[in-house]
Amino acid sequence: RVAFADMSSPPSLVADGVGPSGGRGTVEIGAGRHAVIGENNVVGPYRQVREATEFRIAFRFSGPEAMVEACGGLMRGTGGVGAAVSFGGDLDGAPPTIPLPDSGGPESQDGDRADLPPFDRANFETVGECPLSPTLACSARTPLLEERGMAVVTDRALYFQPISAGLGATKETSTRGRPASWPHGSLVGLARRYDGLRDAGLEVYAPDGSALLTFDGPRAREAVLRLILDRTSGRRIPLPVLTDRSYVEQASELWHAGRIDNYEYLLVLNSAAGRSFHDLSRYPVMPWVLSEYGTGSEGGGDARGGEAARARIDLDDEGNYRDLSRPIGALNEERYKGFEARYESLLQSQGSGDGGSPLDAPFLYG
C-alpha cells in the first residue's frame, strides 16, 4: 500500500515493460514510505516501511495507461507529490500552518510522532486535503472510558483515530473504537476543558453532539484550537469558544432579554466553568430552587412527573421555594444547629486570645 502523499515520483510507464501476454506494459512507482499488507499470507497489523523503495508493476491483461492517467489526476488534486505531508507551507496555494509544540515524544522527519502508529489518510474526507498539524497524541474521553489515539487537523476537518482502530477501519462521527471526524464547516462551538488537573482538553461541539479530546499539554491544545479558528474565520458569525469571557457576556445579555431560558443559560455557565457531560468529576450542576414539585398523588408528589404535575406548581407562592438564604447542606435543621455550635466554639477560641492559624477563623459553612 503506497499513499499518494508518500510517492517520490508519480507512476510512469517504462520502456522495457513488455508483458508476456502481448506486451501490455509496466508501471514504475517510487515511494519514500509504504505499508506491507498480509505479509507471508498472515493476517496481522500492517508493517510500515520508512525507506525509499521502487516498485514495478507489470500489466499482463490490460494496458497501464488508464491507471497512470487516473493516478496523475488524483495526485494533481493533492497539489503534487508529497503535498499531503508537507507541514512547512512551502507549496504554492497550500493553507498556512501554525507550528505545534513538541508533544513529548520523538518525531519522525515529516513531523509525526515516531512512537505513534501512522495516521491512516484514507480516513480523510477528500483526496486533496492538506494536514496542518503533525500527528498528535490524543485521547477521547467519555464518563467511563478513555480511548487513546491520535489527532490530525487538516484544512477541512479535525480527525481522531484510536490506536486500537489501526489502518483500514471504518470512519464514523463518534469515537468508540472507530476513527472520527469533525468538518470545520459543521462545528458549532469549542470549549477548553481539564483532564484531571491538566488544562489540556478540548470539547468539540457538532450538531449531533460533542466529543472531549485531551492532549499532552495546554500548548498542543491551544495550537489545535487556533488552527480550527483560523479555518473558520471566514464565517459570518465566528465560531464561539464557550469558555471565553465574551461568549458568557453575550449569553448573559440574551438571558436578560428573554431570548434564552434559564436552563440554556445555566448550561452556558456550566460550560464556561469547565464542566462537561463527558467528565463525571466535572459534571454540570443545577441549582435546587423548588421545595415542592406538585401534589397530584397521595405521597405528596406526582411520581410520574410530566406537564400535568408542573402545571400545578404556583410559582408565585413563596412556600414552593426552598430557603435560599442557606446552602443545601444547612437546610436540615439538626445539621444547621451543629453548624451554629461549631461557629460559636470557633468564635470563643478566637476571643480567648489563643491566636491560632487563619484556618481557625470562625465560619458557619464549609
Side-chain angles (χ1 to χ4, degrees), residues 2-5 7 9-12 27-29 57 59 64-81 127:
V2 180
F4 288 128
M7 293 182 182
S9 60
S12 60
V27 173
E28 184 178 84
I29 301 173
I57 304 173
F59 285 71
E65 292 80 7
M67 178 262 196
V68 172
E69 182 180 356
C71 289
L74 290 171
M75 295 184 71
R76 285 191 295 273
T78 67
V81 175
V127 175

Side-chain angles (χ1 to χ4, degrees), residues 94-146:
T97 62
I98 297 179
L100 293 179
D102 183 8
S103 295
E107 292 189 356
S108 63
Q109 293 181 354
D110 58 11
D112 292 350
R113 279 276 298 271
D115 58 337
L116 292 174
F119 194 95
D120 187 3
R121 292 181 175 85
N123 292 320
F124 286 173
E125 298 284 345
T126 63
V127 175
E129 286 190 55
C130 179
L132 305 181
S133 76
T135 300
L136 299 168
C138 178
S139 295
R141 291 189 176 272
T142 60
L144 300 177
L145 179 67
E146 176 187 2

Side-chain angles (χ1 to χ4, degrees), residues 200-285:
L202 180 67
E203 188 162 359
V204 182
Y205 291 86
D208 57 349
S210 68
L212 176 58
L213 303 177
T214 59
F215 298 88
D216 280 351
R219 293 179 59 200
R221 187 273 312 278
E222 287 299 312
V224 170
L225 187 146
R226 291 198 305 272
L227 282 173
I228 296 175
L229 293 179
D230 179 69
R231 299 308 300 173
T232 58
S233 59
R235 289 185 174 185
R236 183 175 61 87
I237 300 178
L239 183 66
V241 179
L242 279 60
T243 43
D244 283 356
R245 182 183 183 88
S246 58
Y247 179 78
V248 179
E249 291 175 344
Q250 293 173 12
S252 180
E253 294 176 359
L254 293 174
W255 179 60
H256 280 286
R259 297 177 61 183
I260 61 175
D261 58 29
N262 292 342
Y263 180 73
E264 292 173 318
Y265 185 53
L266 289 171
L267 288 181
V268 170
L269 297 181
N270 272 279
S271 181
R275 295 186 173 273
S276 169
F277 288 103
H278 298 285
D279 187 351
L280 290 180
S281 66
R282 292 182 173 83
Y283 210 75
V285 295

Side-chain angles (χ1 to χ4, degrees), residues 5 15 43 47 81 285 325 338:
V43 178
R47 181 170 64 90
V81 175
V285 295
S325 66

